[in-house]
Amino acid sequence: MDYPLFPLNTVLFPGCVLDLQIFEARYLDMVSACMRRGEGFGVVGILEGQEAGEAARRFSALGCEALIRDFQQRPNGLLGIRVEGGRRFRVGRVEVQPNQLTLAEVDWLDEAADAPLLAEHADLAALLGALAEHPLVAGLGMGGVVAGQQALANQLAYLLPFAVEQKLQVLLQDEPLRRLELIQSFLDQLQGEMTA
């Protein structure tokens, strides 16, 4: 049991990019150990608790590997890292270290084969194209034109303002087509709430 977890108020998806600012000693140590070994760490969504301070009391049993792609010292003196989502995993036994770093046993999940976009995905693809024009999304190098259902589903679920629980429902789906169906149903719910 030695896979480090980083509980966050966000859900990372495979192929998606996340910028993090690291300031707590436990995470500075974790990042330097990961970089030394050329390995990633696990991002899990917080269900109860905070990102900083004591270890989160409850987090999702499903997470995504974070692979460190870049790092630099920020103007405020803190370490900034850019990670990219890798493989999905299920969290097994968990142990909180004295420094409050959470280590876990993880089971890696297989990804279903990708599939080409279908005519019915045109609206979702257009939505991702529109999101790509937002400066924050453009800064991450995400959005725009994607090749298949997997990238479309992962990027939309990551970028859209769904609740953590909803994002986890999408991440749980093995089939990209099922992920896209769920995203569409969440969008329909949002539209319904806005017109009600």
Side-chain angles (χ1 to χ4, degrees), residues 30-50:
M30 176 194 78
V31 166
S32 73
C34 287
M35 289 172 76
R36 249 192 336 270
R37 295 193 301 253
E39 295 174 359
F41 56 89
V43 169
V44 289
I46 292 176
L47 301 175
E48 186 184 336
Q50 304 297 316

Side-chain angles (χ1 to χ4, degrees), residues 114-118 120-121 124-125 148-157 170 173 175-187:
D114 201 1
L117 296 179
L118 305 173
E120 68 205 54
H121 301 137
L124 291 175
Q149 294 178 17
Q150 199 84 269
L152 180 62
N154 290 344
Q155 290 191 36
L156 282 175
V170 176
Q173 304 305 317
E175 298 292 330
L177 189 60
R178 181 68 189 116
R179 287 184 194 175
L180 288 168
E181 288 167 357
L182 251 185
I183 289 165
Q184 187 62 62
S185 75
F186 292 152
L187 284 169

Side-chain angles (χ1 to χ4, degrees), residues 14 21 47 49 99 108-110 161 170 177-178:
Q21 191 166 260
L47 301 175
N99 68 353
W108 299 104
L109 301 176
D110 293 327
V170 176
L177 189 60
R178 181 68 189 116

Side-chain angles (χ1 to χ4, degrees), residues 6 25 37 45 57-58 66 71-72 95 125 133 150 163 180-181:
F6 198 150
R37 295 193 301 253
R57 284 189 290 284
R58 271 186 352 105
F71 66 95
Q72 78 278 342
E95 188 179 283
E133 294 174 20
Q150 199 84 269
L180 288 168
E181 288 167 357

Side-chain angles (χ1 to χ4, degrees), residues 44-126:
V44 289
I46 292 176
L47 301 175
E48 186 184 336
Q50 304 297 316
E51 287 184 347
E54 262 183 49
R57 284 189 290 284
R58 271 186 352 105
F59 50 80
S60 65
L62 184 70
C64 183
E65 174 183 38
L67 301 162
I68 301 167
R69 295 298 186 218
D70 196 13
F71 66 95
Q72 78 278 342
Q73 189 171 359
R74 293 274 169 84
N76 58 10
L78 299 178
L79 173 67
I81 63 170
R82 173 165 283 192
V83 300
E84 182 183 343
R87 301 169 291 174
R88 297 175 308 141
F89 61 83
R90 229 177 253 292
V91 179
R93 217 159 50 83
V94 169
E95 188 179 283
V96 177
Q97 302 294 291
N99 68 353
Q100 295 298 298
L101 181 68
T102 303
L103 297 178
E105 288 175 352
V106 299
D107 292 316
W108 299 104
L109 301 176
D110 293 327
E111 287 301 332
D114 201 1
L117 296 179
L118 305 173
E120 68 205 54
H121 301 137
D123 287 350
L124 291 175

